[in-house]
Structure formats: structure tokens, C-alpha cells
Amino acid sequence: LLGCRGGGGGGGGAGGGGGCPFYVMTSPMTDAATRDFFRREGFFGMGEGDVIFFQQGTLPCLSSEGDVLMEGKGTVATAPDGNGGIYRALEESGSLDDMKRRGVKYVHASSVDNALVLPCDPLFLGCCVEAGADCGAKVCPKASATEAVGVICRSPGGGARVVEYSEIPEAASAEVNPATGELVLNAGNICNHFYSIGFLEKAAKLPTPYHIAKKKIACVNDKGETETPASNNGVKLEQFIFDCFPHSSKFVCGEVLREEEFGPVKNAPGATTDSPDTARALLMALGKKYAEAAGCVVG
């Protein structure tokens, strides 16, 4: 997944002018392994100086009763603060200042678990810039009313907001627009965003909320031993990357084709949906489509 993303967006190659710096958010738990992986793969053809790693923050894990959980004797159990931690992490790590030093004005960001992301997509970025947007997002029509994706909607106070699938009543999820035959709540959020540097600076200072995620959290038992329970025993606090969308002064939402831009990897190999196997098949099908459009015969 990192290879699909990295080779397309970074570095100035022989065929072009300036390169696009590639910023990778890690956590204290994944930082060393991610850096080692990029080094082993030769930074996927990008210049090493154009790949910038920065770490998101962490927050204490709590028991179901609200007590702080201990991972070991004298060690508090912590977890990454969610993908919404990206804004504060960009500022505190100096990555925002690095962008400004490089003359970066706009940023394209996406989650790592989508195999079909188009890095620095000129059509999407150009649309947002031409519209004068400070924030934007790609969406794709939901596969079904019950698909577990959030929906982007207009925010009453301006900008946009994402309504999580778990927050939408079943009847509302299934409502169909008779004029189009499509779901009314159809703009599935695929975590593929546009930002101006100014909006990123503003987002880093916003008091966005924390969300509760019930998890199995390794912690010390009554014997002083660290163990991972069989069922959820506590909560992790997370910020969501889209919680700042209502603060946008001009938000652009662009619909894309699922088969061209959304190949999620959320389930284990062998699963019938959203697995490495299904994402690989989508990527291969898209490559075949491109090759045939260029006149190739693919067997």
C-alpha cells in the first residue's frame, strides 16, 4: 500500500520538474518499523529528503469505569489519538513549517488502507483550487444502504460534516431519491482530502472532540502480570480527521468512481469484501482498463 502511494506522489524524477514532498504520519508504536521499511525499499524511488515522517500523539487508555489502565508496573497504557491527531501532529512536529519553507500551498491527504488512491490527483486538487476551497473531500456512492462508511453532508453552520453510519437511523440510510434511484445519503466518505496550508494551521488549533472506542486493551492484572483480555475491557480516546470540516469556509465535495478510486483493506486475507485480495483484484482490473484504453491487448 505504501509503495502504491509513494511512487506516485513524491520526488522529482527525470521526466518532470519539482517533486512533491511525501509526509507520512506514524505513531510511537509504528515509527521505527515504517522508517526501516521505506529505507529497505529505497523510498520507492523518491528522494530521501522528500519523505518526511512525523508522529501522532498518544492518549491514556481508560477502564470501563474511567480509571487509567496500566500496561506494566509503572507504565500507563496508551494508544494513538486517532487520525484526527494529524493536525496537531503536523504543527508540533514542525512539518507544517517544513511545508511552508518548501513553498507548499495545498495538501492532498489520504488514509493508508485504500489501494486505489491517486496521489496528488491534479483533477481533484485543481478543482478545489479553482473553486477557492480551503478543504475538500472525495466521496463515492455507497455500495448499499448498510455499507459501514460515514456519509458527508452539508453542515448547518457552514462547511461539511461526516455522519457516521452508526449514527444514521436505518430508515434514513435506506431512503431512496425517486428522481435518481440513488440513496439520499449516498456520499460515502473514503478519507481522501484536500487542504490549504491555512486551513491546516487553523485545524491544528481547533478544540475538536474525543470519541470513545471500546477495545481489548493489554493491562496489568491483579497478579501484576500484563495480559490481553478476551473481551473489551476499556476505552481508547480518538479524534476523527473529519471533525474539523464544519470549520471550512469553502468546502468542495467531489464524487469519484468506486472501481477507480476506492479499494479499501480493512479485513483479513480471504474475506469476501475489503480484503487484500479484493483490493489487489481492483488494482489489477484498473491497470487492465488503463492498458486497454491505450491500445494494449491484455490476456
Side-chain angles (χ1 to χ4, degrees):
L1 289 170
L2 287 168
C4 292
R5 200 74 38 84
C20 295
F22 190 66
Y23 296 82
V24 182
M25 186 171 77
T26 65
S27 72
M29 298 78 170
T30 63
D31 187 74
T34 305
R35 291 172 185 264
D36 288 345
F37 180 69
F38 269 84
R39 279 192 288 267
R40 288 199 308 271
E41 298 298 329
F43 292 88
F44 302 102
M46 296 179 286
E48 183 174 353
D50 287 329
V51 181
I52 301 93
F53 300 93
F54 65 100
Q55 293 186 38
Q56 67 186 113
T58 59
L59 292 167
C61 299
L62 306 176
S63 71
S64 301
E65 293 74 36
D67 298 321
V68 174
L69 292 175
M70 303 299 292
E71 181 180 347
K73 295 179 179 179
T75 305
V76 172
T78 60
D81 57 3
N83 58 14
I86 186 173
Y87 306 112
R88 187 168 61 250
L90 281 171
E91 182 180 59
E92 293 182 354
S93 68
S95 295
L96 266 178
D97 287 336
D98 182 76
M99 291 177 183
K100 289 187 284 187
R101 283 195 299 270
R102 293 170 182 260
V104 173
K105 295 181 179 179
Y106 308 103
V107 172
H108 182 207
S110 63
S111 60
V112 71
D113 58 358
N114 180 2
L116 297 186
V117 168
L118 297 175
C120 299
D121 176 14
L123 182 61
F124 176 54
L125 270 64
C127 175
C128 292
V129 172
E130 189 174 71
D134 58 1
C135 189
K138 290 186 179 185
V139 299
C140 72
K142 293 180 64 175
S144 69
T146 58
E147 185 180 13
V149 295
V151 176
I152 292 188
C153 305
R154 182 179 289 111
S155 178
R161 64 164 297 196
V162 173
V163 183
E164 284 284 48
Y165 64 92
S166 57
E167 300 173 349
I168 304 174
E170 185 176 339
S173 293
E175 186 178 356
V176 173
N177 183 337
T180 63
E182 296 181 340
L183 295 170
V184 172
L185 299 177
N186 202 36
N189 175 44
I190 59 175
C191 198
N192 194 326
H193 305 149
F194 163 90
Y195 303 101
S196 69
I197 291 295
F199 185 81
L200 287 175
E201 290 178 311
K202 179 168 73 172
K205 297 175 174 61
L206 291 174
T208 49
Y210 289 103
H211 303 267
I212 290 176
K214 296 179 180 179
K215 300 286 185 178
K216 301 173 186 176
I217 302 171
C219 61
V220 174
N221 61 21
D222 294 337
K223 298 179 182 179
E225 303 165 337
T226 301
E227 63 177 9
T228 301
S231 59
N232 294 339
N233 66 319
V235 297
K236 296 180 179 180
L237 301 176
E238 300 176 344
Q239 290 181 303
F240 292 164
I241 195 169
F242 48 72
D243 279 335
C244 62
F245 285 2
H247 299 274
S248 168
S249 59
K250 183 66 177 293
F251 192 93
V252 166
C253 187
E255 183 177 306
V256 298
L257 296 175
R258 173 183 290 265
E259 62 269 22
E260 293 188 357
E261 298 202 37
F262 190 43
V265 181
K266 298 183 182 296
N267 299 321
T272 56
T273 59
D274 298 350
S275 71
D277 310 288
T278 58
R280 188 179 298 112
L282 286 167
L283 192 59
M284 294 298 290
L286 183 59
K288 180 181 179 182
K289 178 181 177 180
Y290 287 159
E292 290 176 340
C296 298
V297 177
V298 181

